[in-house]
Amino acid sequence: MPIHLNDLDVAKETEGLRSALIIPCYMCPAVTVATREKKPFIQFMSNFLKSPPFEKYIKGLQSVLSDKGIETKVFESRFIHHWFLCMWPSGRRRKLMGLLDNYDAAIVLGCDSATETVRELVEVNGCKVIQGMEVDGFMNAKMTFSLPCNISFEDCRIVPFSRQKTEY
């Protein structure tokens, strides 16, 4: 049950900046982009632990920012246990914290929890945190496997988050 995300206008938020570190979560945003483009999420035989549609999405974002004169770099996470940004271990968080001093902004491609993970790390250095995607709901989909070892999602529906009722 990945979270479905919508894109936000990152270009508008980066006015006047010179550099940005793009920090992607490699699970929910990648599934969202692959599903939206109707492409396989993962193709193990040709792109082992990368999601080609999401990689293309990130490169497109870099291109837009480059056209605005903003230098970007991607904070990559290739180990499976690093794919969920909101659950990064302390060592991964420390590594990111050390890099953030070199950038004007951190662009988070993920949910609110992913953004909060990054926000906690920039309180010290004052780097601007820009949320690149917003939560739309849960994604209800069927996972499919096809040759040669492709993982895709089909019959996707967005299920809104239910609101909890509070009694006072």
Side-chain angles (χ1 to χ4, degrees):
M1 116 189 116
I3 294 173
H4 185 268
L5 301 153
N6 289 323
D7 302 339
L8 294 174
D9 187 2
V10 172
K12 189 167 89 173
E13 293 288 324
T14 57
E15 288 297 323
L17 299 177
R18 294 170 293 140
S19 64
L21 181 62
I22 299 171
I23 308 163
C25 177
Y26 283 93
M27 186 47 68
C28 297
V31 171
T32 296
V33 171
T35 303
R36 177 172 60 208
E37 295 184 9
K38 296 180 176 27
K39 304 272 185 192
F41 163 60
I42 297 261
Q43 298 170 306
F44 284 113
M45 297 307 261
S46 58
N47 297 288
F48 183 55
L49 289 177
K50 292 183 179 182
S51 177
F54 193 49
E55 295 293 323
K56 182 179 173 187
Y57 175 87
I58 292 170
K59 287 193 185 321
L61 176 58
Q62 285 183 290
S63 178
V64 166
L65 295 174
S66 177
D67 290 347
K68 291 182 60 172
I70 300 169
E71 182 183 327
T72 62
K73 184 176 179 185
V74 179
F75 187 71
E76 295 182 349
S77 296
R78 294 295 172 216
F79 296 116
I80 291 176
H81 66 285
H82 290 167
W83 279 9
F84 293 90
L85 197 158
C86 62
M87 295 188 283
W88 276 354
S90 58
R92 190 81 184 136
R93 292 172 191 234
R94 275 192 308 273
K95 183 173 183 177
L96 175 59
M97 187 187 303
L99 285 175
L100 289 172
D101 288 335
N102 303 319
Y103 295 90
D104 296 332
I107 299 171
V108 182
L109 300 178
C111 67
D112 296 2
S113 182
T115 302
E116 185 60 27
T117 298
V118 174
R119 195 177 317 281
E120 289 174 356
L121 301 175
V122 301
E123 287 180 6
V124 177
N125 68 12
C127 181
K128 180 178 182 178
V129 177
I130 300 170
Q131 189 161 356
M133 300 178 133
E134 67 181 351
V135 173
D136 188 33
F138 291 111
M139 188 179 302
N140 183 297
K142 295 175 188 165
M143 185 185 299
T144 62
F145 298 94
S146 61
L147 293 176
C149 296
N150 295 341
I151 297 176
S152 299
F153 295 90
E154 61 183 32
D155 297 332
C156 295
R157 290 176 288 130
I158 310 309
V159 179
F161 293 116
S162 61
R163 303 209 186 268
Q164 294 181 351
K165 295 182 181 179
T166 356
E167 293 181 21
Y168 295 97

